[in-house]
Amino acid sequence: MYVLSEKQKQQNVAICMLKSDRVSWWGNTLSMLQRLKEQQFIIAAVLVEDSNNHHLMLETNEWNIIEGLVELLQPFKQVAEMMSTSKYPTISMVKPLLHMLLNTTLNVKDTDVKEISMAKEVIAKELSSAYQHTPEIDMFLNVATFLDPRCKKLPFLSAFERAQVENRVVEEAKGLLERGKDGSFEPEEKTFALPEEPPVKKMIISSSQAPTTNINNMLAEIFCQSGGTEGQEELHAQVVEELSNFKSQKVLGLSEDPLKWWSDRLALFPVLPKVLQKYWCILATRVFPERLFGSPTNVVSAKRNRLAPAHVDEQIFLYENTRNWSEPEPEDEDEGEWGLQQEHIFNLSDSSSFFTIRDSGFI
């Protein structure tokens, strides 16, 4: 390590250590390879002077493989950062990102070395089968993508597959309308009783209205049929019209917020947002839920270990909803031994220091 730092000083390069790979996260592999590529000539100079480690020197083709792996893994890191820094990573971005990676990053080129081509084929095979274990999961992701105003064109699907996705949306929207219609026409329970009419009056009304009621029922059966095929056609026409209106809208930019887009158009689309809730309630990544477990460390510290649980929940809520998600997590401050600043550390053998220590060190 000393020789490496000396070589970095001689070359006027920033002093830094080499990184090691860890299995816990694939991003460490990319970080390790990037550091090797940056320090290529420094590492070669160190190994040349060390006769005991000449066997560790990399050949030209091996450096080419490292450079190719860095170029291959870089888009995956960008995708991971984009999804993890988003406050609401919608599941509608899964299929477009997979399509981009499979058709651009993992596309084998003639200039790729053998090892890079093999790596691309292995990664492409894994990604292709990741979300296609069952046709239902694949259809779920396609519908979620179609309802995103940024990706509703579905260029990665055939015309037949796009028609299947639209039919699924129509059927689910019709089902929601039917359930809503049935619920709206349920008879309400009466909490009051109507006054009884005189018996004579009831007899007169029943005898005089009987023929008219029979005729009305007969006419209603012929001309006023409700429900059945006609009701289904009305619901279908309503959903198809709303879907056509959605398709005719301008495609939203990738940097725009699709949730705000739908929120601003609830009056224009009364049914599709209800279908959207079924699909977009699933997050595309688990980074945000897992990040909540680390948030308490930014609120509760050795100096604030007597906060009430209710106050901790409130402060975590405020912290997560006010900070800028594009910024990294704040680094923990070095609070010294046992969470106390250096001026608070005392020797138990000195009885006077016990009484002069500030109480804030224990809060």
Side-chain angles (χ1 to χ4, degrees):
M1 180 59 194
Y2 173 76
V3 179
L4 179 64
S5 61
E6 289 297 321
K7 287 294 181 182
Q8 291 171 344
K9 292 179 182 179
Q10 294 176 6
Q11 299 291 335
N12 294 325
V13 178
I15 299 177
C16 57
M17 298 176 59
L18 298 180
K19 297 183 179 181
S20 59
D21 189 13
R22 290 184 297 174
V23 184
S24 59
W25 184 49
W26 67 267
N28 293 318
T29 304
L30 175 60
S31 180
M32 177 192 68
L33 295 175
Q34 286 177 328
R35 182 59 57 85
L36 284 175
K37 181 182 176 182
E38 295 171 359
Q39 302 292 325
Q40 175 180 354
F41 299 105
I42 304 295
I43 295 173
V46 171
L47 294 178
V48 166
E49 297 181 359
D50 189 355
S51 58
N52 296 327
N53 292 318
H54 282 177
H55 63 284
L56 298 178
M57 295 185 63
L58 300 179
E59 301 293 337
T60 303
N61 63 326
E62 293 175 325
W63 284 113
N64 292 335
I65 294 174
I66 292 176
E67 184 177 358
L69 288 175
V70 170
E71 183 180 356
L72 173 61
L73 296 177
Q74 189 65 36
F76 289 89
K77 180 183 178 181
Q78 295 173 354
V79 169
E81 289 179 348
M82 184 192 73
M83 299 294 288
S84 60
T85 55
S86 175
K87 191 171 185 180
Y88 301 105
T90 57
I91 199 171
S92 59
M93 291 302 297
V94 172
K95 266 307 191 64
L97 290 174
L98 283 175
H99 177 73
M100 179 199 69
L101 292 174
L102 290 172
N103 291 273
T104 57
T105 304
L106 298 177
N107 188 21
V108 179
K109 303 177 183 178
D110 297 335
T111 57
D112 292 336
V113 297
K114 179 181 177 181
E115 290 77 7
I116 299 300
S117 300
M118 294 175 59
K120 287 183 176 181
E121 292 175 358
V122 172
I123 297 175
K125 182 179 179 181
E126 292 293 329
L127 283 181
S128 299
S129 60
Y131 295 94
Q132 295 181 353
H133 295 296
T134 60
E136 189 63 27
I137 295 178
D138 190 54
M139 175 60 71
F140 186 94
L141 293 174
N142 289 336
V143 173
T145 306
F146 173 70
L147 293 174
D148 192 329
R150 301 171 297 179
C151 316
K152 60 183 178 180
K153 297 295 184 181
L154 301 179
F156 51 87
L157 297 181
S158 63
F160 176 73
E161 291 173 330
R162 287 195 293 269
Q164 285 184 320
V165 172
E166 294 181 12
N167 291 336
R168 170 65 70 87
V169 174
V170 170
E171 292 300 323
E172 293 200 9
K174 286 170 57 179
L176 290 174
L177 287 177
E178 290 175 357
R179 289 194 294 270
K181 186 176 181 180
D182 294 340
S184 61
F185 285 94
E186 290 181 357
E188 298 181 357
E189 296 183 358
K190 301 296 182 180
T191 58
F192 57 90
L194 294 175
E196 288 286 340
E197 296 181 353
V200 178
K201 184 177 181 180
K202 287 196 293 184
M203 291 177 58
I204 297 174
I205 293 176
S206 60
S207 61
S208 61
Q209 290 185 352
T212 306
T213 303
N214 293 335
I215 294 175
N216 289 339
N217 291 337
M218 295 172 62
L219 292 174
E221 292 179 359
I222 301 174
F223 298 101
C224 301
Q225 295 180 356
S226 59
T229 306
E230 184 178 354
Q232 291 290 334
E233 292 178 354
E234 292 179 358
L235 295 179
H236 183 79
Q238 178 182 351
V239 173
V240 170
E241 181 181 0
E242 186 172 333
L243 188 64
S244 300
N245 191 8
F246 168 68
K247 293 170 61 178
S248 64
Q249 297 289 317
K250 182 180 178 181
V251 176
L252 191 65
L254 292 177
S255 60
E256 302 294 330
D257 186 0
L259 293 174
K260 186 178 184 303
W261 188 92
W262 279 107
S263 178
D264 295 339
R265 292 165 176 79
L266 291 177
L268 184 62
F269 303 105
V271 182
L272 290 181
K274 298 178 182 179
V275 180
L276 185 74
Q277 292 176 359
K278 171 184 175 181
Y279 291 87
W280 285 18
C281 64
I282 302 176
L283 295 178
T285 175
R286 62 183 182 183
V287 171
F288 177 67
E290 290 181 352
R291 187 177 287 155
L292 290 176
F293 290 95
S295 297
T297 59
N298 299 316
V299 176
V300 182
S301 63
K303 298 180 181 179
R304 308 178 69 192
N305 58 10
R306 299 177 66 180
L307 287 172
H311 292 167
V312 173
D313 292 340
E314 293 171 354
Q315 293 199 23
I316 292 176
F317 174 82
L318 294 175
Y319 170 77
E320 290 295 335
N321 286 276
T322 55
R323 73 184 183 90
N324 187 358
W325 281 78
S326 61
E327 298 178 356
E329 288 279 354
E331 297 181 358
D332 296 335
E333 297 180 357
D334 186 9
E335 297 180 340
E337 187 178 1
W338 298 103
L340 302 177
Q341 296 179 357
Q342 296 298 328
E343 61 185 57
H344 293 164
I345 300 176
F346 58 92
N347 187 358
L348 292 177
S349 60
D350 185 3
S351 59
S352 61
S353 62
F354 180 80
F355 296 99
T356 57
I357 187 171
R358 293 204 303 264
D359 293 338
S360 60
F362 294 96
I363 298 177

